[in-house]
Amino acid sequence: MRSAEFAAEWDELADAVAEPNPFYERWALLPALERLGAGADCTIMALRCGGRLCALVPLGRAAAYYGYPLPHRVNWSHDNLFVGSPLVRSGFEERFWRALFGHLDAATGRALFLHLDRLDANGPLFAALARVADGDGRAWGVVQREERAMLRSGLSPQAYFERSLNGKKRKELRRQDKRLAEEGAKGFERRSDGAGLERWIEQFLALEQAGWKGRNGSALADNPRTAGWFAATLHGAAARGRLERLSLTLDGAPVAMLANFIAPPGAFSFKTAYDERYARYSPGVLLQRENLDLLAREDIAWCDSCAAADHPMIERIWREKRAMVRVNVAIGGRLRRAAFRRILRAELARQTRST
């Protein structure tokens, strides 16, 4: 099949899933593999059902597991990928897991198990995985769980804002907004097209690098590969109608910026940056107040913050949680599965002791 035909199938599949994951869509995954996957042993696994593409997941191989020499298969990831759910057509979740487990049973290589990172603990894919693995008598376990901020509510943006922040905090934010406006001409822009995108990307990269990420060497612009990946991904998202970008400006220069990925019925708050010279005015929080307009969109039911657990800024505003888990699953024959059971018991026992 020609690449253009497969690209069209991939895009159609992404629109038909019950559990959206923009990070595995074509416009996000291919630039990541090209720029960040150098040397990675990764294969894009696809499942066809009646000639139609009904599932897709990038699978890699890892030689070690948290410092232990335990080779395994893994859903491919990178440092700026925040969701690891495979793209699976709605209604085909169990069929996908059966096909994937069956394939890995027959082609284990040196792998001792399958490690799946960043699955939604309350999503249909995780539920189907549990049903299929239990039905097969296949050992599996959640080896890590964390909860991060999520926006999900039937309230209007203003009502949600008033419920999230008490009167004292809202008054302080109004004061900061007023003081920021005294520094110059304050503006706000929200765009979902590609107009001016190249300049927007340049400004975002510069803004992020000027802050704490630049000081510790973790800004996107610190590495040409991550800067190139970021630009290619945002251009791809805009071309696919998946990008929403917000800017809070002062005299035309950005003081806070935010890029959302829109993948109905969900959205993903991908990257944000602010000018630390204006930190006393909380420009990032002021921008997030504007971002609450996601609640007014009929096509969006929730937004994943993609933030670390207990993030000090976003959890001041977004009150719901999204539980993300890492799961290990047995693959291969009887002896390999017996070895995995011992590995899993030991890991779960360590977790129990640590908690």
Side-chain angles (χ1 to χ4, degrees):
M1 174 173 291
R2 295 192 300 271
S3 59
E5 292 177 349
F6 185 71
E9 282 194 303
W10 195 339
D11 290 346
E12 189 275 332
L13 171 65
D15 290 334
V17 300
E19 193 169 328
N21 180 7
F23 299 97
Y24 281 170
E25 291 197 35
R26 174 181 57 85
W27 50 266
L29 182 57
L30 292 182
L33 287 170
E34 179 183 353
R35 291 171 171 83
L36 308 179
D41 185 355
C42 178
T43 302
I44 296 178
M45 308 294 294
L47 174 66
R48 291 190 175 278
C49 308
R52 181 174 59 169
L53 184 66
C54 61
L56 182 148
V57 62
L59 280 187
R61 291 178 172 85
Y65 181 73
Y66 296 105
Y68 294 93
L70 300 173
H72 60 282
R73 301 300 301 270
V74 60
N75 53 341
W76 187 79
S77 182
H78 58 86
D79 290 343
N80 291 288
L81 188 152
F82 305 115
V83 182
S85 304
L87 295 181
V88 181
R89 189 176 297 276
S90 181
F92 287 80
E93 291 84 4
E94 291 190 16
R95 185 168 178 175
F96 162 72
W97 289 120
R98 290 192 186 95
L100 180 63
F101 295 159
H103 169 78
L104 294 177
D105 286 344
T108 52
R110 297 178 59 246
L112 295 173
F113 56 90
L114 170 65
H115 178 68
L116 296 164
D117 193 9
R118 298 183 177 96
L119 300 183
D120 182 352
N122 298 304
L125 281 169
F126 178 77
L129 182 154
R131 290 193 299 269
V132 171
D134 288 343
D136 289 348
R138 187 184 301 269
W140 68 282
V142 173
V143 295
Q144 184 175 335
R145 177 188 175 99
E146 68 175 26
E147 293 187 343
R148 63 197 191 199
M150 185 181 195
L151 181 66
R152 187 204 298 267
S153 176
L155 295 174
S156 69
Q158 182 60 32
Y160 188 93
F161 179 70
E162 292 175 358
R163 178 171 292 186
S164 294
L165 298 179
N166 61 35
K168 182 178 180 181
K169 290 181 179 178
R170 296 198 305 275
K171 181 179 179 181
E172 173 63 13
L173 196 61
R174 288 194 298 270
R175 185 192 68 81
Q176 291 172 318
D177 193 7
K178 181 179 178 181
R179 294 292 182 265
L180 179 62
E182 292 172 355
E183 296 283 342
K186 184 171 71 72
F188 170 73
E189 183 178 52
R190 184 194 312 271
R191 299 197 71 99
S192 57
D193 57 15
L197 180 55
E198 192 65 37
R199 176 58 177 160
W200 195 94
I201 291 170
E202 293 173 358
Q203 290 177 320
F204 184 96
L205 292 173
L207 193 63
E208 185 192 57
Q209 192 173 41
W212 65 269
K213 288 186 177 181
R215 292 192 294 274
N216 70 18
S218 63
L220 294 168
D222 289 333
N223 188 317
R225 289 181 299 172
T226 54
W229 157 79
F230 179 73
T233 300
L234 261 60
H235 278 290
R240 221 5 216 125
R242 297 295 208 211
L243 180 64
E244 180 184 69
R245 46 196 167 101
L246 285 65
S247 302
L248 183 65
T249 61
L250 198 63
D251 292 331
V255 293
M257 305 176 78
L258 169 66
N260 289 328
F261 290 152
I262 305 299
F268 300 79
S269 191
F270 174 49
K271 286 288 180 180
T272 188
Y274 70 95
D275 192 329
E276 293 183 2
R277 296 175 298 175
Y278 298 97
R280 62 188 178 277
Y281 305 124
S282 299
V285 178
L286 292 173
L287 192 62
Q288 285 294 342
R289 183 178 62 182
E290 302 290 346
N291 197 32
L292 290 177
D293 280 355
L294 286 168
L295 293 171
R297 293 186 57 146
E298 293 185 356
D299 60 333
I300 299 300
W302 50 266
C303 184
D304 184 344
S305 70
C306 298
D310 302 318
H311 190 279
M313 186 273 282
I314 196 62
E315 294 202 4
R316 292 171 57 189
I317 308 172
W318 293 14
R319 299 298 180 162
E320 295 75 46
K321 298 287 188 179
R322 191 182 197 196
M324 305 299 288
V325 293
R326 295 179 178 179
V327 180
N328 287 348
V329 184
I331 57 175
R334 180 174 58 84
L335 293 179
R336 197 179 302 257
R337 294 194 191 192
F340 170 73
R341 287 182 183 274
R342 292 195 293 271
I343 294 169
L344 182 62
R345 281 197 300 267
E347 185 165 17
L348 296 179
R350 281 197 300 271
Q351 288 184 13
T352 301
R353 290 195 297 270
S354 67
T355 56

